Amino acid sequence: QVQLVESGGGLVQPGGSLRLSCAASGSIFNTLDMAWYRQAPGQQRDMVASITKSGSLNYTDSAKGRFAISRNSVKNAVYLQMDMLRPEDTAVYYCKAILTRRGVLDVYWGQGTQVTVSS
């Protein structure tokens, strides 16, 4: 079982920055693939950025050049640095962990943290 706790959301003006954090419980962090998703009101939950256990990165087009995902295996945490924020980045941001064992995927979600970009 993996528990994920996000933090770092808030209200920021357009063009500003936020850094989201996701702390993972347990001792298996190095075996997890991690990702950040977001969900705006009335919209589906979409991936923003991901980082595998080996460090491979992937970003959605809207995040490229503005957001950076990273992980710290000592702190069992994954981060999302968000710069040049836009109003359309407003959403609840969720941390996701995927544990793959013998071809079976276990998926874990955090409770989400609200990001609001507004002047």
Side-chain angles (χ1 to χ4, degrees):
Q1 186 74 12
V2 176
Q3 292 184 323
L4 304 171
V5 178
E6 300 102 332
S7 61
L11 173 65
V12 64
Q13 292 186 341
S17 299
L18 281 175
R19 186 188 191 220
L20 306 183
S21 299
C22 172
S25 65
S27 59
I28 59 170
F29 182 75
N30 288 341
T31 67
L32 300 173
D33 294 321
M34 304 295 296
W36 285 97
Y37 279 66
R38 67 186 181 187
Q39 186 169 20
Q43 304 295 317
Q44 65 180 22
R45 191 175 296 186
D46 292 323
M47 193 201 76
V48 176
S50 66
I51 182 167
T52 67
K53 52 185 172 289
S54 60
S56 296
L57 306 178
N58 189 34
Y59 295 93
T60 188
D61 285 345
S62 64
K64 289 177 181 177
R66 301 189 301 127
F67 295 0
I69 189 171
S70 60
R71 63 191 296 161
N72 185 320
S73 59
V74 174
K75 296 185 177 181
N76 280 8
V78 64
Y79 307 99
L80 185 67
Q81 176 67 42
M82 302 187 295
D83 298 320
M84 296 181 285
L85 284 161
R86 306 165 180 166
E88 54 264 38
D89 294 318
T90 296
V92 178
Y93 284 70
Y94 295 91
C95 179
K96 176 183 179 181
I98 302 173
L99 175 64
T100 304
R101 291 178 292 193
R102 302 184 188 91
V104 177
L105 273 64
D106 291 324
V107 179
Y108 303 91
W109 292 93
Q111 83 288 351
T113 186
Q114 177 71 47
V115 171
T116 302
V117 185
S118 175
S119 55

